[in-house]
Amino acid sequence: MTTDTFKKWIAQHQISEVECLVPDMNGVLRGKVWPAQKFLQSAANGTLRMPGSIFDVTVTGDYADDGMDKAYADPDVTLHPDPASICVAPGFKTPTAFVFADAYTKTGDPYPIAPRHVLRKVLDLYADMGWSMMIAPELEFYLTAVNTDPDLPLVPPIGRSGRSETAPQPYGLEAVTEYEDIIEEIYERAEAASLHLDTMIHEAGTAQLEINFNHGEPIHLSDQVLLFKRIVRQVALQNDVYATFMAKPMENQPGSAMHLHISAHDKSGKNLFGSADGPTEVFRHFIGGLQEYLPHVTPLFAPNVNSFRRMQPDHAAPINLQWGYDNRSCGLRVPISGASSMRVENRLPGADSNPYLAIASSLVAGYLGVVNKIEPLPMVDGNAYRHARTLPRNLDVALDRMAVCDAVKAILGAEFVESFLRIKLKELDAFQGVISSWERDHLLLKV
């Protein structure tokens, strides 16, 4: 889509403002809002710019490279709007469009730590092999009552019946209708924004929902996940409830995941993971790579201290990289499917993860498995929780593992890995400076 085509699209949809969206390291959408004509002018002459420091912002709003020369200089990056991503922004009084943008340096090179570029870099490796990767996310989230005090636990919201859920209702149809008004509005806005949604179900937690996306190209699906999150939060607030994508928002409820269904295709569209005889050799090697490397890049799909609270047995969250047919206790599940739809479901990523980086971690691990012909462990029958934990138990250990994973660092780039680790270590320091209610409850008058 050239600038002229942008102009035609904006005129056709009578757009007055354009939100230029730039995902940061945590998947938080940052950017600018331009009047439509100013956006077109700036896109044409290459003057859409933002400070490069937006990629160094922690989830607490601090800058991770405080005191470094780069932080003080804070040079701009140039934004190149992605033509394939422009869509109507629903729910605004002023007709508005969303468009994702890629960041470039002054020399015209892709900004190496931008998450969209990191994922594109991995996809290029597959393209060099003649492969195209397809992704279908399944994203879980909770609706909760409004809670303005962070010291108080979250509780389920009141539904249409005037009551709150008090027990799990997996796949409950009556439970879903409790939030029918919210769900219908989410679907309406998602359709207006051209999101490719499939089904929504009630998950196991109280007021926990799951949305399935249709399979598609990984960067496009990552864009859609972030737009969906934004739409859901806005709809929830307008209905006087919260929507949260925290990995573990409530103590005694299951966590929220972002399961990733991953398949590979050749240039003719043939599924490379399946054959008439079952899984192919490259599929086995892809699994082997996931088993070998995902435990070393856990922060890319479990990026927060809260992420590791989800990874507990008996809460439908895996603790290891076992694989098995139609086995949800495994970190890597092979759904029942024929040769044309053979895929792996990576059940490790949390709903709180940056989709670009969560997908990149899976694809880089699988790529290393394919090129190095890594054989997977034997498939598991029965309870995979009986096998040893291979995922780190907390963010501290996970960051240490990632820092020394040279094979992944060589692909994703040392600058990206170092920037990511710097952000996460700053967030970890901030968390460790907070005294929790558990400490006050059990230590205040006892130790």
Side-chain angles (χ1 to χ4, degrees), residues 61-283:
D62 297 315
Y63 290 98
D65 64 350
D66 288 345
M68 298 175 64
D69 290 342
K70 182 181 176 183
Y72 289 110
D74 198 6
D76 278 347
V77 292
T78 301
L79 303 181
H80 293 192
D82 182 351
S85 70
I86 193 166
C87 64
V88 171
F92 289 82
K93 292 181 180 178
T94 300
T96 304
F98 291 140
V99 64
F100 283 86
D102 290 306
Y104 287 79
T105 65
K106 292 178 181 177
T107 58
D109 298 316
Y111 199 58
I113 66 174
R116 278 181 119 244
H117 169 63
V118 172
L119 177 53
R120 187 175 290 112
K121 190 175 182 180
V122 178
L123 293 172
D124 287 345
L125 296 176
Y126 284 96
D128 291 342
M129 299 194 304
W131 291 29
S132 61
M133 305 304 296
M134 302 294 283
I135 300 290
E138 297 175 349
L139 185 63
E140 298 169 344
F141 62 98
Y142 275 90
L143 299 176
T144 78
V146 171
N147 183 334
T148 59
D149 187 344
D151 282 333
L152 296 178
L154 298 170
V155 297
I158 294 173
R160 297 176 71 188
S161 66
R163 304 179 65 184
S164 299
E165 288 186 21
T166 58
Q169 296 289 343
Y171 291 87
L173 296 179
E174 291 296 332
V176 166
T177 60
E178 285 288 300
Y179 316 108
E180 183 177 352
D181 294 341
I182 295 175
I183 292 171
E184 285 185 356
E185 192 170 351
I186 289 171
Y187 268 113
E188 288 172 2
R189 293 196 184 186
E191 183 178 2
S194 302
L195 302 191
H196 302 148
L197 305 183
D198 190 6
T199 55
M200 184 178 285
I201 64 167
H202 194 295
E203 258 294 347
T206 53
Q208 186 185 32
L209 304 175
E210 177 187 277
I211 188 69
N212 296 340
F213 291 78
N214 292 321
H215 69 275
E217 190 275 331
I219 293 177
H220 177 62
L221 263 297
S222 298
D223 294 346
Q224 298 234 328
V225 167
L226 292 191
L227 288 184
F228 179 80
K229 285 185 174 184
R230 185 154 190 214
I231 288 170
V232 170
R233 290 191 187 105
Q234 291 174 342
V235 170
L237 287 174
Q238 290 173 5
N239 284 271
D240 299 320
V241 301
Y242 283 169
T244 179
F245 295 87
M246 283 178 65
K248 184 75 170 178
M250 288 184 268
E251 291 179 8
N252 298 316
Q253 297 293 330
S256 290
M258 183 178 66
H259 300 153
L260 300 175
H261 289 252
I262 307 171
S263 59
H265 303 263
D266 65 16
K267 292 180 179 179
S268 70
K270 178 184 177 182
N271 190 315
L272 292 165
F273 285 170
S275 70
D277 299 322
T280 61
E281 183 178 41
V282 293
F283 184 52

Side-chain angles (χ1 to χ4, degrees), residues 3 38-49:
T3 304
K38 178 65 174 177
F39 167 79
L40 291 170
Q41 293 169 7
S42 300
N45 60 28
T47 58
L48 291 176
R49 297 192 184 102

